[in-house]
Amino acid sequence: MALPSDRSTASRNPTLGSSTAASVHQRRNMAVVWWSTYLSLIFLAIFIYGLALLVRVAQDPQLVALVVAALGALAIVPWAMTVLRARRGIDNATFRTPTMACAGILAFASALISLWSPPAFGVGALPLALVLATAALSLSKGRWWVIFTALFLPAAHLSLAIALNGTPAESRDLITVTWLSFFTVLGVPTSLWVWAVMVELDVTRQQAAELAITGLMHGSVTPDLWR
């Protein structure tokens, strides 16, 4: 990345100018990748949770099911806001925020209440699983155990709900939703981890480019290094 004070130098040096243009193009590509990844994750979470829950509420609009729907939706909003912090990379503090804590509290309440809400216990634990799978990426130890727990949380939640309430008539549909929840949760840490690796590689590339440009300006690096 060329420094602002070096723009005239870049314009006089074709090699330097081409490297600056490549850097701008790379940043645009990274922005496209990020927003594609982010919007895909958010859309999938909202689609699986919202569609399944709306179908259950429509079939049996109990008050407790409506409460679960509201709490789950409110949990997904701060979760989605916190995931935005991953754009600049992921470290131990990325997801340790009050916003994520709020999402966790709302998601836990939704999962707990939905145990006694037969129309909702197919997806009642999905918001909590999303929060756990995302927050685990900021853990220095035990992150894979937390992710593993998040992956199977919807299935465990469904099993417990059936044990408490009996097998519902739409049990086959609930199992299908649970499988969809599994793959939805799996996509969150996987996609964010791949993005974090891309950010680290991009930072390394930018640092190398800045060093090379500095070398060109002082004559210690030849243009052949850019080929």
Side-chain angles (χ1 to χ4, degrees):
M1 182 186 301
L3 299 175
S5 59
D6 300 331
R7 291 175 182 173
S8 60
T9 303
S11 63
R12 293 193 302 268
N13 190 320
T15 302
L16 197 58
S18 62
S19 66
T20 303
S23 178
V24 173
H25 182 70
Q26 179 68 15
R27 288 197 298 271
R28 290 176 179 173
N29 288 340
M30 290 289 290
V32 171
V33 172
W34 162 250
W35 286 112
S36 299
T37 301
Y38 176 76
L39 294 177
S40 297
L41 291 177
I42 302 305
F43 173 80
L44 186 60
I46 294 176
F47 179 79
I48 297 300
Y49 181 76
L51 180 61
L53 198 55
L54 284 176
V55 170
R56 296 294 171 262
V57 171
Q59 289 178 351
D60 190 3
Q62 300 179 18
L63 176 60
V64 65
L66 297 175
V67 172
V68 169
L71 289 174
L74 289 174
I76 289 178
V77 172
W79 167 77
M81 293 172 58
T82 309
V83 172
L84 276 173
R85 292 171 56 88
R87 184 176 183 180
R88 298 185 180 278
I90 298 174
D91 55 30
N92 292 339
T94 301
F95 301 123
R96 296 181 180 181
T97 66
T99 306
M100 183 63 91
C102 178
I105 293 172
L106 292 170
F108 179 78
S110 175
L112 184 62
I113 297 174
S114 65
L115 287 174
W116 289 273
S117 173
F121 58 55
V123 290
L126 178 57
L128 181 59
L130 291 172
V131 171
L132 290 177
T134 306
L137 296 175
S138 284
L139 298 177
S140 55
K141 295 182 180 180
R143 68 174 61 180
W144 299 114
W145 285 107
V146 176
I147 292 175
F148 182 83
T149 301
L151 288 175
F152 291 96
L153 182 60
H157 184 268
L158 176 60
S159 300
L160 181 57
I162 291 176
L164 292 173
N165 300 276
T167 303
E170 66 274 12
S171 58
R172 182 176 299 179
D173 294 338
L174 292 177
I175 293 174
T176 300
V177 171
T178 302
W179 271 109
L180 292 175
S181 299
F182 173 87
F183 290 108
T184 301
V185 176
L186 178 63
V188 172
T190 303
S191 300
L192 293 180
W193 180 79
V194 171
W195 169 255
V197 172
M198 291 182 61
V199 171
E200 292 181 1
L201 292 175
D202 186 59
V203 170
T204 302
R205 181 196 61 78
Q206 291 185 23
Q207 291 174 346
E210 290 176 357
L211 289 174
I213 290 173
T214 302
L216 280 173
M217 293 176 59
H218 292 84
S220 58
V221 178
T222 63
D224 291 338
L225 292 178
W226 289 94
R227 297 177 183 174

